[in-house]
Amino acid sequence: MKIKNLTKLVLATAVSLSFAAQAQATRDTIQIAGSSTVLPFSSIAAEEFGNSFAQFKTPVVGSGGSGGGLRQFCQGVGTNTIDIANSSRAIRPAELDSCKANGVTEVIEVKIGYDGIVFASRIDAGTFALQPVHVFLAQAAQVPQNGQMVANPYTRWSQIDKSLPDQAILLAIPGSNHGTREVYEEKVILDGCKTLPEVKAMPSADQNNFCLAMRTDGRVVEIAGDYTETLARLQAQKDAVGVFGLSFYESNRDRIKVATVSGIVPTIDNIIAGTYPVSRPLFFYVKGQHIGVIPGLQEYAEFHVSEATSGFGSPLEAAGLIPLADAERAEVLQTIRSKKSL
Amino acid sequence: MKTVQTSASSTYSASPVQQQVVRSLKKRHRQEKLFRFAGMTAVGISLLLVALLFINIFSKGLPAFWQHGIELEIHFDPAVVKISEQPVLQAGESPQAFEQRHLAWRSEVGMVNFNRLIQDALLKVIPDGAQHRRDLARIVTSGERFALRDRVIANPAIIGQTQKLFLLTDANIDVWLKGNIDRSLPDEKQQLSPKMREWVESLKAEGVIQNRFSWALFMNPDSRSSLASAGLAGAFMGSLYMMLIVILLAVPMGVAAAIYLEEFAPKNKFTDLVEVNINNLAAVPSIVFGLLGASIFIGWFNLPMSAPFVGGLVLSLMTLPTVIIATRSTLKAIPPSIRQAALGLGASKTQAVFHHVLPLAIPGILTGAIIGVAQALGESAPLLLIGMKSFVASVPSSAMEQSTALPVQIYLWQGNELRNFFEARTSAAIIVLLGLMLTLNGLAIWLRRRFEVRW
């Protein structure tokens, strides 16, 4: 009796295993992964999509950073790979090459809107009015002094500039797996660094290496996780200044306050107007070969970009996405409809 | 020290050994006291830490089991809900064709602007709402319009009727009313506009907005577009599927392996090696099983990512050694006399094991299995690697559909950007998970007490 039951169980498991092997051939849920900045927007779009189209399932959205998402995206073609990679930066040529090498030949780039990157400190800490060069001087390994390059001597913001608070330097920046990091380096660090006459005098090939070298005495912390981790860092250390997405700041205005950059307050209006310097477009990449295989993939892409989902007054705008201009939106929609690959 | 020595030597002449004993006595007493004290301190500190943990989680999480909602008279206005007749299965129609027609009808219902119904109902309780449309639209959480849609789909006859419904308010209203945001902060630091705060306060005083038990927490899947309606149903089902797979795979396999190794296998170098490896396997960090699962089940077998089925397989691998070890120690504890008596009466080896030893071992095996399953229930690290940390906004209807699990849901909520609302929600999820674990462990203890035979 007992043995019979046992064999039955084993048989049942074997049967379910073989069913599983068959079931993998079809997948009817869109699978998305990537940037944690895009994740909230993508999740809202996915949920609205699932609720608006009775015939399609709600897409599943994972995180992992822009780099992690694109790596998964480029692993190959097939139902065990993701269909869409979210990214807070444009795909790099090397990533596109690795995609092509793995058979992912059709990569459709979809721009969804813009997002600002802000510097924020704790609500009970000092108020910052930053210039890009201040941030460079706070994080650099070496800084120019009296015509020579010396190891970074600054330990307090007020030593960099009298106008900054007298507060220990502690900078929490996104890790290299985040797309935000690239924008931060390009629009803040490099911009700030290259205003220095000593750097301008360097051969241009050496400039980037010099500017991006970071101090290693623990005053700059790279956060590999999402913005909650940066916020936790600020909560533990009063002096810390963190790098956040504008939409994250908007949800936590009672805990952190933003710094102005080059005198401009980061607001949606200032970013649309282009006066706030640190903003960037957000993207997602669709695997063209999965269109027609995974039901609803193209519909989802169009839905995401549609005026109703991500235009002014839409749920994504309410969540903090800065909408595309009408002409841009029309162009992106055209790209999706014609399946124009990169 | 001196006095002890003199008094001892004065009353009777002690041997050198006795003298030594007397001399060391005080030191030994001191050592014992010290050890008892150290032990008590250790117990005290660990109790304190556990108490701190529980107080922290419960003080944060318990309020999240109740959530603010607004009681509204929703009029399903036929002028707004303009839809065609619900299709009925006609004679001679194929089920597929009917399904198609029904799908089209559901899409049509989905196009109705249910927000309009909510806004009209809100205007009845907020007289000056019409001047502040944008604020008015933010009072009820956005997901509730789908609740209205589902009501119409379930029963189209309600069109034209007026129903008293309890709809969840926006997450930020709940945060404000529970005092989870500093109320003294200036307007630009607040999430709610001054007008909304004024409405919310007066509606709360009138009893229109009430703090009720949050069924949404248990009945809804996760949500990001409507944060107030985020719930644990999806993660719970995902965890349930995984537990079923663990019970179906790890328990029978583990028990069979243990019985063979303990009762039938010859004792030689090979079985020794197997035994050592099983013990080693039990000590392998769980994240390693996750990597293994990602490369073998997803990479080679092409199983889908984020599926509870794959999660169940990975957790089964992890639970297997626990079950084997627990079963073997239970079998070892059964006295040999049972086997010998059975064999002496002419039973075969298999009969002796399955008719006599195994029934006596069942309580112990069950205990081991339940503890293994409880361990698997709380595991999150391997699941992150097989894609189960994705945001899934639907309740999985089979083990092959994408899903998350309870511990991973905790991780996801911990990362949600609306900290004021989700700090409490996360703690509530932790309480639910702890409750499940305690129930499972309690069941294990009860089974052991109830059925265990002492020799």
Side-chain angles (χ1 to χ4, degrees), chain A residues 2-3 6 9-10 12-13 16-17 19-21 23-25 27-32 39-40 43-44 46-48 50-55 57-64 72 79-82 123 226 228-229 231-232 235 247-258 313 315 317, chain B residues 103 106-107 110-111 134 142 145-146 149 172 180-182 185 188-192 222-226 245 247-249 252 255-256 298-299 301-306 309 313 350 354 358-359 362 387 389-394 397 400-403 411-412 414-420 423:
Chain A
K2 280 259 152 60
I3 303 173
L6 209 69
L9 270 180
V10 174
T13 340
S16 59
L17 262 169
F19 266 122
Q24 57 90 11
R27 169 158 65 82
D28 51 6
T29 317
I30 299 170
Q31 201 126 26
I32 305 168
L39 177 98
S43 307
I44 294 172
E47 222 176 311
E48 299 281 325
N51 274 317
S52 307
F53 290 81
Q55 67 270 39
K57 292 205 167 141
T58 311
V60 170
V61 190
S63 57
Q72 273 191 58
T79 48
N80 61 336
T81 59
I82 61 171
I123 194 117
D226 40 29
T228 357
E229 206 181 315
L231 182 65
Q235 268 158 352
S247 50
F248 185 88
Y249 158 72
E250 292 286 352
S251 298
N252 293 280
R253 275 181 303 210
D254 57 317
R255 298 174 189 225
I256 46 180
K257 55 180 168 188
V258 280
E317 196 223 348
Chain B
L103 202 65
R106 276 183 1 232
S107 299
M111 293 298 170
R134 236 186 135 90
S142 66
R145 66 181 199 268
F146 301 121
R149 178 198 63 189
N172 278 310
N180 286 341
I181 189 168
D182 186 353
L185 286 170
E188 73 269 16
K189 292 277 170 199
Q190 293 289 354
Q191 295 290 329
L192 299 181
D222 194 9
S223 173
R224 263 179 180 273
S225 70
S226 165
I245 288 162
I247 290 168
L248 283 178
L249 276 179
V255 171
I298 295 176
F301 294 164
N302 284 340
L303 289 173
M305 290 198 304
S306 315
F309 183 76
L313 291 180
T350 317
F354 284 92
L358 198 59
I362 289 273
K389 62 171 175 172
S390 298
F391 165 77
V392 183
S394 51
S397 54
M400 295 308 285
E401 267 178 33
Q402 284 88 340
S403 165
Y411 170 80
L412 287 175
Q414 191 275 329
N416 191 290
E417 54 280 349
L418 192 65
R419 302 305 305 140
N420 291 329
E423 266 170 14

Side-chain angles (χ1 to χ4, degrees), chain B residues 153-182:
Chain B
I153 287 177
N155 179 19
I158 59 170
I159 297 170
Q161 292 176 9
T162 301
Q163 285 197 337
K164 198 167 213 175
L165 295 176
F166 186 72
L167 303 176
L168 291 176
T169 54
D170 187 77
N172 278 310
I173 292 180
D174 189 60
V175 167
W176 169 262
L177 286 173
K178 281 181 180 158
N180 286 341
I181 189 168
D182 186 353

